[in-house]
Amino acid sequence: MSIRIHKDVKFPRGSAPFIKHVVDTIDGAGASLDIRPGKYLVDEGSRYGGECAEEGITLAGKNPFMWPTLIHEFGHFTQFLDGHPLWETADHDTFWDWLTGKKTMTSVEAFNTMIDIVLLEHDCEKRAMKLITKFDLKVDLEEYAQRANTYFYFYQFTYLNRKWIGSSTTIYQDAIVKTMPTKIVPKKNIMKIDMEMMDLYDRTLNSKRKK
């Protein structure tokens, strides 16, 4: 379809082989890569750094985490290319509609929907870590894993509150991120609610909303 990378977007030194791999893969699949000049993408009032669909990848090129976000979203694109089962069945739209009250589900149905999404993210992050290692990308693996784990547990917190609290930037508070393991947690850890983690998220995120 098309490759559009804004002229002001900067990539880390030594990243050219990976960028070429991304561009060649996306272009070869007839999809698009669109890296825009803004700091955020916005949808229904929510701000975030990037997204991936079968049509391709869109990124906010001036987002401070654009580089790891590109790696992450490309991990999602490889899930699509590989036909990962959860790419088709993990239903983000249904979960979002449940969060916003547009759809009714039982708590068990909502939980199972949330878990499918988290397991898809878990597989994506494992792929991203392999890409970082394979292409020797300038990303700290331990910090990347901590942020990935933060996102996994944030879905649990969102499920319990039935509300998307914060944004793709505000959820990554040091008080949360720095407590996370420096390796991707096993799948079994994220398939059940960790109430100690939920208490940490509640103290950190909800206290900031009340100020």
Side-chain angles (χ1 to χ4, degrees):
M1 293 173 66
S2 65
I3 304 295
R4 296 188 297 271
I5 302 176
H6 193 271
K7 61 181 178 63
D8 292 336
V9 172
K10 306 295 183 184
F11 298 111
R13 182 175 298 177
S15 62
F18 175 66
I19 297 300
K20 183 178 186 304
H21 176 63
V22 170
V23 168
D24 289 349
T25 301
I26 290 175
D27 191 50
S32 63
L33 174 64
D34 184 8
I35 306 183
R36 302 173 181 177
K39 290 185 68 174
Y40 304 102
L41 305 177
V42 180
D43 183 32
E44 295 187 8
S46 179
R47 301 191 307 177
Y48 53 99
E51 61 183 0
C52 176
E54 295 179 10
E55 295 79 16
I57 294 172
T58 305
L59 296 171
K62 290 190 176 181
N63 186 282
F65 296 101
M66 183 277 293
W67 181 232
T69 300
L70 170 59
I71 301 167
H72 172 85
E73 297 303 342
F74 185 67
H76 276 312
F77 194 72
T78 66
Q79 289 177 318
F80 158 60
L81 293 180
D82 293 345
H84 192 290
L86 284 173
W87 177 262
E88 295 292 338
T89 59
D91 197 339
H92 293 78
D93 290 341
T94 294
F95 186 65
W96 184 262
D97 286 346
W98 176 76
L99 289 178
T100 56
K102 297 178 182 178
K103 183 176 179 62
T104 300
M105 288 193 289
T106 67
S107 59
V108 173
E109 289 172 335
F111 178 81
N112 289 336
T113 301
M114 180 269 293
I115 289 297
D116 279 350
I117 295 170
V118 174
L119 290 177
L120 181 72
E121 295 294 337
H122 188 274
D123 176 80
C124 177
E125 298 296 18
K126 298 287 281 188
R127 290 168 182 254
M129 298 280 275
K130 289 179 180 178
L131 288 167
I132 292 168
T133 301
K134 178 180 178 179
F135 287 93
D136 192 23
L137 302 178
K138 299 299 185 286
V139 175
D140 185 298
L141 286 172
E142 292 189 349
E143 290 181 4
Y144 188 94
Q146 287 181 308
R147 288 176 63 85
N149 293 330
T150 297
Y151 196 51
F152 302 152
Y153 288 114
F154 177 68
Y155 265 99
Q156 293 187 0
F157 184 66
T158 296
Y159 163 75
L160 290 178
N161 283 270
R162 197 172 177 176
K163 182 178 293 185
W164 191 271
I165 296 173
S167 69
S168 63
T169 53
T170 58
I171 66 173
Y172 295 108
Q173 302 292 325
D174 282 351
I176 296 174
V177 176
K178 291 187 181 301
T179 66
M180 292 292 165
T182 54
K183 294 184 178 180
I184 299 293
V185 296
K187 287 193 289 187
K188 65 179 183 179
N189 288 35
I190 53 177
M191 293 183 69
K192 59 182 179 181
I193 302 293
D194 186 323
M195 292 310 299
E196 288 187 9
M197 283 290 188
M198 298 304 97
D199 182 58
L200 172 62
Y201 277 69
D202 184 61
R203 294 196 312 270
T204 305
L205 298 182
N206 280 330
S207 65
K208 288 183 177 295
R209 293 173 67 215
K210 293 173 183 176
K211 290 181 179 179

